[in-house]
Amino acid sequence: MTDRTLDYLIIGAGMAGTQLDHFLKSDSKALLDPEPGSYKIGESIIPEHYHHPELRALIPEVKKLPSYSPKWGSMFIAPDSVASFPLPPHGAEVAMHASRHEVEPLMHKIWGTKIEKERVRSVDMDAKTVTTDKGVWKVNKQIIDCSGPAMVVARQVDEITELWPVWARWSYFDITAIDNAAFDKWV
């Protein structure tokens, strides 16, 4: 087991952790993820994800991915209602569906992201240490949890409250014809 000291430790190499690692201008940082790309929810990328010029520069490469398809809007269907949200014309060129299993490795490749493949075993916020399966990290400034729903740090320090079970389900449909009566009946 090795001991390492740095200023910033980012946990989770998904979209948030990868972008934070890229934009955090420090030579004293590390990005931890035991299995990059293993836990993913969602594939939809909205215009707001790509406002920054460095992110917008990724779009031509994202559009080459096998999972890419344009996104024209969203529809939310509940037992008693339907809500449709078309995208405004100013954002349509960067709204898309693309698998995060493809987008994140593309970001890592283009940006040269270094990921330490380590699993967090414990977190001591008072001592600012993170113990992994490969050693101990001493953090001088900030431990940043970008693990999403895994909530690695919150679970490790036992500061998580499950409010209620929440489930979501989504589907993608190709529109081949418009038949309002059939749609109303289906909904």
Side-chain angles (χ1 to χ4, degrees):
M1 299 270 263
T2 60
D3 292 345
R4 295 148 295 185
T5 301
L6 44 60
D7 287 339
Y8 302 98
L9 185 65
I10 305 165
I11 300 171
M15 297 286 276
T18 297
Q19 290 180 36
L20 177 59
D21 180 73
H22 178 70
F23 288 107
L24 182 61
K25 302 303 179 195
S26 172
D27 293 331
S28 183
K29 65 181 176 181
L31 176 60
L32 301 183
D33 197 315
E35 299 176 47
S38 64
Y39 180 79
K40 300 293 170 245
I41 294 180
E43 299 177 344
S44 186
I45 297 172
I46 57 175
E48 287 74 16
H49 289 145
Y50 288 96
H51 281 301
H52 193 281
E54 288 187 52
L55 294 168
R56 196 163 281 257
L58 297 172
I59 293 171
E61 294 304 313
V62 171
K63 288 183 175 184
K64 294 176 187 175
L65 296 173
S67 64
Y68 166 79
S69 67
K71 179 177 179 174
W72 306 110
S74 296
M75 182 175 292
F76 298 90
I77 302 172
D80 59 348
S81 64
V82 174
S84 177
F85 301 95
L87 289 173
H90 69 277
E93 74 280 0
V94 293
M96 63 190 90
H97 294 283
S99 171
R100 289 181 57 184
H101 289 286
E102 295 172 0
V103 173
E104 290 168 5
L106 175 70
M107 293 167 71
H108 298 157
K109 179 182 172 188
I110 291 172
W111 290 340
T113 306
K114 180 182 178 192
I115 302 170
E116 304 291 340
K117 293 184 180 179
E118 300 182 31
R119 185 170 305 283
V120 174
R121 298 285 186 220
S122 65
V123 177
D124 183 332
M125 296 303 282
D126 293 328
K128 287 190 172 180
T129 59
V130 175
T131 303
T132 72
D133 54 351
K134 295 184 181 174
V136 177
W137 294 89
K138 172 68 176 139
V139 181
N140 293 324
K141 293 186 178 179
Q142 197 166 19
I143 300 167
I144 307 159
D145 190 351
C146 292
S147 65
M151 297 181 273
V152 170
V153 172
R155 291 181 194 286
Q156 287 293 323
V157 298
D158 198 29
E159 290 188 15
I160 185 168
T161 303
E162 298 285 348
L163 298 177
W164 60 78
V166 177
W167 294 274
R169 171 191 239 174
W170 59 87
S171 299
Y172 300 109
F173 300 98
D174 291 327
I175 298 173
T176 57
I178 296 175
D179 183 338
N180 290 332
F183 175 76
D184 292 342
K185 182 180 177 185
W186 182 78
V187 171

